[in-house]
Amino acid sequence: MDNDRLRECLEEDYTRLRKVAAGADLSAPVPSCPDWTVAELVDHVAMVYLHKVACMKYGRPQEWPPETGGEEPLPLLERAYTELTAEFAARPPTTSAYTWYEPDQTVGFWVRRMAQETVIHRVDAELGAGVPIAPIPTDLALDGIDEFLVAFVSYGSRAWAEEFAEALAAAAGATVHVSAGDRAWSVEISADGVTVTPDGSTPSAATVSGEPDDVLLWLWNRAGDGAVTTTGDLTAFRRVLVAATQ
């Protein structure tokens, strides 16, 4: 996806998240994030935005969580989004910026990451508010699947080896074919990490397939097994996914 399209999706999902949260009981629990209320979800998204603004401004890792000054959740979210989009508007996507993903140290990484962060948490807000989940555009969902498997699972399994060690040991030797729309990915798990091949060409013992939005939400544990079609034993793979989303 190009930068303009990602910015467009970010705007749409932020707007939906803000609207849903404004009409919700902020004390309501978020079923997909059991430790959070809707207010805490909104706070989290706002703090993520402010954290990334600082990463781009200062070009180095920033402390988490950022200082928010005790603002109420919705005004804080609005301010944070305004600062985030102003930062994106001021910097071409190819501009150098600190990110946690070593292969891509650019502002463009954060545009993509914030678009994907926002769509998942927009769904969380809808679940917490008890309203219908708005459709996720196919291009955004496919991009999100790719980002999740390549950056969070494959790269993450080596960058944060200690956090993945137990899950990798249990899943070593597992192979999974993930397919959605016209895209497919092959996932091979070893004790040393996860290898993702973005053409789905490697024979696999288990499969996950479905509509792009359903597969994306399944990977992020926002949809149950009934939302996708599966074959084989995915128990060990699920442990790796949990490690990737901590």
Side-chain angles (χ1 to χ4, degrees):
M1 293 180 71
D2 66 28
N3 188 74
D4 289 344
R5 176 61 178 146
L6 286 165
R7 289 282 305 276
E8 178 182 294
C9 290
L10 172 60
E11 174 72 21
E12 290 173 355
D13 285 312
Y14 162 77
T15 300
R16 172 70 175 165
L17 191 163
R18 172 67 179 79
K19 180 179 179 180
V20 168
D25 174 0
L26 291 178
S27 68
V30 179
S32 48
C33 305
D35 296 332
W36 288 349
T37 63
V38 173
E40 289 167 329
L41 169 69
V42 172
D43 269 339
H44 171 78
V45 176
M47 288 189 291
V48 167
Y49 289 166
L50 292 174
H51 184 260
K52 304 329 169 206
V53 167
C55 286
M56 288 183 283
K57 278 186 175 180
Y58 304 117
R60 60 180 183 272
Q62 299 295 305
E63 291 187 6
W64 177 266
E67 177 56 49
T68 62
E71 289 178 72
E72 290 298 309
L74 291 171
L76 175 63
L77 179 66
E78 293 167 358
R79 176 173 72 82
Y81 184 72
T82 297
E83 291 188 23
L84 179 71
T85 52
E87 200 67 27
F88 287 157
R91 300 168 182 267
T94 55
T95 303
S96 178
Y98 165 78
T99 80
W100 53 258
Y101 183 60
E102 186 61 35
D104 188 354
Q105 298 289 298
T106 68
V107 169
F109 173 85
W110 287 129
V111 174
R112 184 193 197 195
R113 178 82 287 281
M114 291 303 95
Q116 295 297 342
E117 178 89 3
T118 303
V119 70
I120 294 299
H121 287 318
R122 180 264 284 176
V123 170
D124 290 332
E126 290 165 332
L127 292 170
V131 300
I133 295 175
I136 300 174
T138 296
D139 56 349
L140 184 67
L142 289 173
D143 183 70
I145 295 168
D146 186 74
E147 185 210 36
F148 183 81
L149 292 175
V150 174
F152 283 87
V153 176
S154 182
Y155 176 80
S157 67
R158 292 176 172 82
W160 300 286
E162 289 186 5
E163 297 177 21
F164 280 80
E166 185 175 343
L168 292 177
T175 54
V176 182
H177 179 89
V178 178
S179 62
D182 61 356
R183 299 281 304 277
W185 298 260
S186 294
V187 180
E188 299 176 83
I189 304 171
S190 74
D192 297 323
V194 180
T195 300
V196 174
T197 306
D199 61 6
S201 61
T202 305
S204 301
T207 67
V208 179
S209 62
E211 293 300 317
D213 54 350
D214 291 331
V215 173
L216 176 66
L217 294 179
W218 184 87
L219 290 170
W220 279 103
N221 200 30
R222 265 66 175 186
D225 289 346
V228 295
T229 300
T230 64
T231 65
D233 186 358
L234 292 164
T235 305
F237 180 51
R238 175 58 79 184
R239 291 176 188 166
V240 174
L241 300 184
V242 170
T245 55
Q246 295 305 306

PDB file of all heavy atoms in Angstrom, residues 71-88:
ATOM      1  N   GLU A  71      -4.899  14.163  31.052  1.00  0.00           N
ATOM      2  CA  GLU A  71      -6.046  14.561  30.230  1.00  0.00           C
ATOM      3  C   GLU A  71      -7.100  13.463  30.189  1.00  0.00           C
ATOM      4  O   GLU A  71      -6.796  12.276  30.284  1.00  0.00           O
ATOM      5  CB  GLU A  71      -5.594  14.855  28.802  1.00  0.00           C
ATOM      6  CG  GLU A  71      -4.788  16.110  28.630  1.00  0.00           C
ATOM      7  CD  GLU A  71      -4.334  16.288  27.190  1.00  0.00           C
ATOM      8  OE1 GLU A  71      -5.188  16.610  26.341  1.00  0.00           O
ATOM      9  OE2 GLU A  71      -3.135  16.088  26.919  1.00  0.00           O
ATOM     10  N   GLU A  72      -8.338  13.851  29.982  1.00  0.00           N
ATOM     11  CA  GLU A  72      -9.413  12.895  29.798  1.00  0.00           C
ATOM     12  C   GLU A  72      -9.199  12.136  28.481  1.00  0.00           C
ATOM     13  O   GLU A  72      -8.604  12.677  27.535  1.00  0.00           O
ATOM     14  CB  GLU A  72     -10.754  13.604  29.780  1.00  0.00           C
ATOM     15  CG  GLU A  72     -11.169  14.162  31.137  1.00  0.00           C
ATOM     16  CD  GLU A  72     -11.341  13.066  32.181  1.00  0.00           C
ATOM     17  OE1 GLU A  72     -12.053  12.078  31.897  1.00  0.00           O
ATOM     18  OE2 GLU A  72     -10.731  13.180  33.263  1.00  0.00           O
ATOM     19  N   PRO A  73      -9.685  10.892  28.407  1.00  0.00           N
ATOM     20  CA  PRO A  73      -9.349  10.041  27.258  1.00  0.00           C
ATOM     21  C   PRO A  73      -9.667  10.631  25.883  1.00  0.00           C
ATOM     22  O   PRO A  73      -8.815  10.633  24.988  1.00  0.00           O
ATOM     23  CB  PRO A  73     -10.158   8.773  27.519  1.00  0.00           C
ATOM     24  CG  PRO A  73     -10.298   8.711  29.000  1.00  0.00           C
ATOM     25  CD  PRO A  73     -10.429  10.141  29.432  1.00  0.00           C
ATOM     26  N   LEU A  74     -10.871  11.121  25.677  1.00  0.00           N
ATOM     27  CA  LEU A  74     -11.232  11.574  24.330  1.00  0.00           C
ATOM     28  C   LEU A  74     -10.487  12.840  23.902  1.00  0.00           C
ATOM     29  O   LEU A  74      -9.962  12.893  22.777  1.00  0.00           O
ATOM     30  CB  LEU A  74     -12.749  11.752  24.217  1.00  0.00           C
ATOM     31  CG  LEU A  74     -13.533  10.419  24.260  1.00  0.00           C
ATOM     32  CD1 LEU A  74     -15.027  10.682  24.354  1.00  0.00           C
ATOM     33  CD2 LEU A  74     -13.214   9.566  23.042  1.00  0.00           C
ATOM     34  N   PRO A  75     -10.394  13.868  24.743  1.00  0.00           N
ATOM     35  CA  PRO A  75      -9.567  15.016  24.347  1.00  0.00           C
ATOM     36  C   PRO A  75      -8.106  14.623  24.115  1.00  0.00           C
ATOM     37  O   PRO A  75      -7.448  15.165  23.221  1.00  0.00           O
ATOM     38  CB  PRO A  75      -9.714  15.977  25.529  1.00  0.00           C
ATOM     39  CG  PRO A  75     -11.010  15.629  26.151  1.00  0.00           C
ATOM     40  CD  PRO A  75     -11.133  14.139  25.995  1.00  0.00           C
ATOM     41  N   LEU A  76      -7.601  13.705  24.929  1.00  0.00           N
ATOM     42  CA  LEU A  76      -6.219  13.244  24.747  1.00  0.00           C
ATOM     43  C   LEU A  76      -6.063  12.559  23.395  1.00  0.00           C
ATOM     44  O   LEU A  76      -5.076  12.801  22.680  1.00  0.00           O
ATOM     45  CB  LEU A  76      -5.841  12.285  25.873  1.00  0.00           C
ATOM     46  CG  LEU A  76      -4.464  11.621  25.761  1.00  0.00           C
ATOM     47  CD1 LEU A  76      -3.349  12.674  25.821  1.00  0.00           C
ATOM     48  CD2 LEU A  76      -4.277  10.581  26.873  1.00  0.00           C
ATOM     49  N   LEU A  77      -7.023  11.722  23.037  1.00  0.00           N
ATOM     50  CA  LEU A  77      -6.964  11.039  21.742  1.00  0.00           C
ATOM     51  C   LEU A  77      -6.960  12.045  20.600  1.00  0.00           C
ATOM     52  O   LEU A  77      -6.178  11.924  19.654  1.00  0.00           O
ATOM     53  CB  LEU A  77      -8.155  10.091  21.595  1.00  0.00           C
ATOM     54  CG  LEU A  77      -8.234   9.315  20.277  1.00  0.00           C
ATOM     55  CD1 LEU A  77      -7.081   8.324  20.145  1.00  0.00           C
ATOM     56  CD2 LEU A  77      -9.584   8.578  20.170  1.00  0.00           C
ATOM     57  N   GLU A  78      -7.810  13.038  20.686  1.00  0.00           N
ATOM     58  CA  GLU A  78      -7.889  14.050  19.630  1.00  0.00           C
ATOM     59  C   GLU A  78      -6.563  14.799  19.498  1.00  0.00           C
ATOM     60  O   GLU A  78      -6.076  15.032  18.389  1.00  0.00           O
ATOM     61  CB  GLU A  78      -9.031  15.010  19.925  1.00  0.00           C
ATOM     62  CG  GLU A  78     -10.400  14.369  19.839  1.00  0.00           C
ATOM     63  CD  GLU A  78     -11.496  15.243  20.428  1.00  0.00           C
ATOM     64  OE1 GLU A  78     -11.179  16.338  20.951  1.00  0.00           O
ATOM     65  OE2 GLU A  78     -12.663  14.818  20.384  1.00  0.00           O
ATOM     66  N   ARG A  79      -6.001  15.194  20.633  1.00  0.00           N
ATOM     67  CA  ARG A  79      -4.720  15.915  20.596  1.00  0.00           C
ATOM     68  C   ARG A  79      -3.614  15.040  20.020  1.00  0.00           C
ATOM     69  O   ARG A  79      -2.815  15.485  19.190  1.00  0.00           O
ATOM     70  CB  ARG A  79      -4.332  16.392  22.004  1.00  0.00           C
ATOM     71  CG  ARG A  79      -2.949  17.065  22.041  1.00  0.00           C
ATOM     72  CD  ARG A  79      -2.651  17.674  23.384  1.00  0.00           C
ATOM     73  NE  ARG A  79      -2.369  16.716  24.439  1.00  0.00           N
ATOM     74  CZ  ARG A  79      -1.171  16.143  24.634  1.00  0.00           C
ATOM     75  NH1 ARG A  79      -0.150  16.420  23.829  1.00  0.00           N
ATOM     76  NH2 ARG A  79      -0.989  15.305  25.633  1.00  0.00           N
ATOM     77  N   ALA A  80      -3.572  13.804  20.468  1.00  0.00           N
ATOM     78  CA  ALA A  80      -2.517  12.905  20.015  1.00  0.00           C
ATOM     79  C   ALA A  80      -2.612  12.650  18.518  1.00  0.00           C
ATOM     80  O   ALA A  80      -1.593  12.634  17.807  1.00  0.00           O
ATOM     81  CB  ALA A  80      -2.596  11.591  20.783  1.00  0.00           C
ATOM     82  N   TYR A  81      -3.833  12.481  18.022  1.00  0.00           N
ATOM     83  CA  TYR A  81      -4.000  12.236  16.589  1.00  0.00           C
ATOM     84  C   TYR A  81      -3.597  13.472  15.785  1.00  0.00           C
ATOM     85  O   TYR A  81      -2.963  13.350  14.726  1.00  0.00           O
ATOM     86  CB  TYR A  81      -5.444  11.849  16.271  1.00  0.00           C
ATOM     87  CG  TYR A  81      -5.639  11.497  14.814  1.00  0.00           C
ATOM     88  CD1 TYR A  81      -5.129  10.320  14.288  1.00  0.00           C
ATOM     89  CD2 TYR A  81      -6.303  12.375  13.951  1.00  0.00           C
ATOM     90  CE1 TYR A  81      -5.288  10.002  12.954  1.00  0.00           C
ATOM     91  CE2 TYR A  81      -6.461  12.061  12.615  1.00  0.00           C
ATOM     92  CZ  TYR A  81      -5.944  10.872  12.121  1.00  0.00           C
ATOM     93  OH  TYR A  81      -6.093  10.560  10.782  1.00  0.00           O
ATOM     94  N   THR A  82      -3.943  14.644  16.276  1.00  0.00           N
ATOM     95  CA  THR A  82      -3.556  15.883  15.591  1.00  0.00           C
ATOM     96  C   THR A  82      -2.039  15.994  15.512  1.00  0.00           C
ATOM     97  O   THR A  82      -1.481  16.352  14.453  1.00  0.00           O
ATOM     98  CB  THR A  82      -4.137  17.104  16.330  1.00  0.00           C
ATOM     99  OG1 THR A  82      -5.569  17.032  16.295  1.00  0.00           O
ATOM    100  CG2 THR A  82      -3.685  18.394  15.678  1.00  0.00           C
ATOM    101  N   GLU A  83      -1.353  15.661  16.611  1.00  0.00           N
ATOM    102  CA  GLU A  83       0.110  15.729  16.600  1.00  0.00           C
ATOM    103  C   GLU A  83       0.708  14.668  15.670  1.00  0.00           C
ATOM    104  O   GLU A  83       1.688  14.936  14.965  1.00  0.00           O
ATOM    105  CB  GLU A  83       0.642  15.549  18.025  1.00  0.00           C
ATOM    106  CG  GLU A  83       0.321  16.718  18.941  1.00  0.00           C
ATOM    107  CD  GLU A  83       1.014  16.621  20.292  1.00  0.00           C
ATOM    108  OE1 GLU A  83       2.058  15.923  20.376  1.00  0.00           O
ATOM    109  OE2 GLU A  83       0.529  17.241  21.246  1.00  0.00           O
ATOM    110  N   LEU A  84       0.133  13.490  15.674  1.00  0.00           N
ATOM    111  CA  LEU A  84       0.643  12.422  14.815  1.00  0.00           C
ATOM    112  C   LEU A  84       0.514  12.790  13.343  1.00  0.00           C
ATOM    113  O   LEU A  84       1.475  12.674  12.570  1.00  0.00           O
ATOM    114  CB  LEU A  84      -0.121  11.129  15.088  1.00  0.00           C
ATOM    115  CG  LEU A  84       0.294   9.916  14.242  1.00  0.00           C
ATOM    116  CD1 LEU A  84       1.664   9.406  14.657  1.00  0.00           C
ATOM    117  CD2 LEU A  84      -0.755   8.808  14.345  1.00  0.00           C
ATOM    118  N   THR A  85      -0.640  13.237  12.933  1.00  0.00           N
ATOM    119  CA  THR A  85      -0.853  13.545  11.521  1.00  0.00           C
ATOM    120  C   THR A  85      -0.054  14.776  11.094  1.00  0.00           C
ATOM    121  O   THR A  85       0.384  14.856   9.943  1.00  0.00           O
ATOM    122  CB  THR A  85      -2.346  13.741  11.218  1.00  0.00           C
ATOM    123  OG1 THR A  85      -2.916  14.698  12.128  1.00  0.00           O
ATOM    124  CG2 THR A  85      -3.096  12.425  11.361  1.00  0.00           C
ATOM    125  N   ALA A  86       0.152  15.713  12.014  1.00  0.00           N
ATOM    126  CA  ALA A  86       0.997  16.864  11.696  1.00  0.00           C
ATOM    127  C   ALA A  86       2.433  16.410  11.446  1.00  0.00           C
ATOM    128  O   ALA A  86       3.117  16.912  10.542  1.00  0.00           O
ATOM    129  CB  ALA A  86       0.950  17.879  12.825  1.00  0.00           C
ATOM    130  N   GLU A  87       2.886  15.453  12.233  1.00  0.00           N
ATOM    131  CA  GLU A  87       4.245  14.927  12.059  1.00  0.00           C
ATOM    132  C   GLU A  87       4.371  14.206  10.726  1.00  0.00           C
ATOM    133  O   GLU A  87       5.355  14.365  10.000  1.00  0.00           O
ATOM    134  CB  GLU A  87       4.576  13.980  13.211  1.00  0.00           C
ATOM    135  CG  GLU A  87       6.056  13.739  13.418  1.00  0.00           C
ATOM    136  CD  GLU A  87       6.800  14.972  13.895  1.00  0.00           C
ATOM    137  OE1 GLU A  87       6.200  15.846  14.544  1.00  0.00           O
ATOM    138  OE2 GLU A  87       8.013  15.061  13.592  1.00  0.00           O
ATOM    139  N   PHE A  88       3.369  13.424  10.373  1.00  0.00           N
ATOM    140  CA  PHE A  88       3.381  12.728   9.082  1.00  0.00           C
ATOM    141  C   PHE A  88       3.360  13.727   7.918  1.00  0.00           C
ATOM    142  O   PHE A  88       4.037  13.536   6.906  1.00  0.00           O
ATOM    143  CB  PHE A  88       2.174  11.792   8.958  1.00  0.00           C
ATOM    144  CG  PHE A  88       2.265  10.552   9.798  1.00  0.00           C
ATOM    145  CD1 PHE A  88       1.108   9.871  10.164  1.00  0.00           C
ATOM    146  CD2 PHE A  88       3.487  10.039  10.225  1.00  0.00           C
ATOM    147  CE1 PHE A  88       1.173   8.716  10.933  1.00  0.00           C
ATOM    148  CE2 PHE A  88       3.562   8.883  10.994  1.00  0.00           C
ATOM    149  CZ  PHE A  88       2.394   8.218  11.351  1.00  0.00           C
TER     150      PHE A  88
END
